[in-house]
Amino acid sequence: MHVVSTIKELQILLAQHRNNGKNIGFVPTMGALHHGHISLVTQAKNFCAVVVCSIFVNPTQFNNVDDLANYPKTLENDLSILNTVGCDIVFCPEANELYPTKCQLVFDFGHLEQIMEGAFRPGHFNGVGTIVAKFFNIIQPDHAFFGQKDLQQYAIIQLLVNDLSYQVQLHCCAIIREQDGLAMSSRNMRLNEYQRTLAPSIFQSLQTGEKLAQNNTILASIYNQMVDLYLDKNIKLEYYKFVNAEDLTEITTLVKGQKVAICVACYIDDIRLIDNIIFNA
Ligand code: PAF
């Protein structure tokens, strides 16, 4: 496994592989790797001869300085995990390699950046769009792999790829969960023992929402029950939304057969967690 920190080194390696006719898969990460990331690398290995994984905590997508400062950093462990799962190249640049000057570019992702994560984390998707566009330009992958846990991020990246004609095939990979249902996330590392006992309620609230929605098409009443559930657990609910799983527009009444996602964001003390579930109404 090659570990490189400059664009130049990375592009030299990629050119050699391309000259040998190999296709390139890309798995972007911010490190603090867990089984969710490993499953992305495994899927990338199924499609591609060469897998590049980036480890970069992208400062421009954090709208909260404490969140950036507290983001877990476990580089040595990450590298040994990637080595065992057969990653070929790890790109871990310093911030000034990717942002030699302050980035001026501003994206407009339309309604996608006005709802849910977009509404609660202003500027977040501009930072995601910027870094993913940079990675796509630098790496020019044939395939790129993202997790469904960040469903709205995936929709933003699809839009970026469509509108800017990136020649990359995107893959939205299933959420990997702990045995008790908690969606794997680098932020879970920050949960103490007590907070960890609360965290499975998040997925339970999604399962309950799905079940209730099968018999109750008026979604406001389900939402009210969920607000009570989160209050009971002392978890601060930021949003719990029923959306059309295709375009992420909010829905208030279910139509039978429709593909629906429930998306949730909440805080357990100062740790922000998100999750979602997709089902057919
Ligand atoms: O999903 C993430 O970990 C990040 O948003 C990404 C795609 C690596 C961009 O920094």
Side-chain angles (χ1 to χ4, degrees), residues 133-198:
K134 279 178 185 278
F135 283 139
F136 285 173
N137 288 330
I138 294 166
I139 298 169
Q140 301 187 13
D142 300 289
H143 296 263
F145 299 80
F146 296 86
Q148 184 204 306
K149 188 169 81 63
D150 294 295
L151 187 65
Q152 195 174 355
Q153 166 173 283
Y154 187 75
I156 292 272
I157 292 164
Q158 270 181 316
L159 196 139
L160 193 74
V161 165
N162 287 342
D163 284 8
L164 297 180
S165 304
Y166 283 112
Q167 299 303 299
V168 56
Q169 189 181 327
L170 296 179
H171 300 256
C172 186
C173 306
I175 299 175
I176 306 296
R177 298 184 180 279
E178 302 285 356
Q179 279 200 335
D180 58 13
L182 175 65
M184 291 201 185
S185 162
S186 304
R187 289 190 165 88
N188 295 353
M189 282 182 197
R190 296 190 52 218
L191 297 168
N192 66 27
E193 217 172 298
Y194 173 66
Q195 293 164 334
R196 180 65 186 77
T197 65
L198 299 177

Side-chain angles (χ1 to χ4, degrees), residues 28-30 37 54 56 58 61 71 124 128 131-132 135 146 150 153 157:
T29 84
M30 298 205 295
H37 296 111
S54 61
F56 180 65
N58 172 36
Q61 70 187 76
Y71 202 83
H124 169 64
V128 170
I131 195 67
V132 172
F135 283 139
F146 296 86
D150 294 295
Q153 166 173 283
I157 292 164

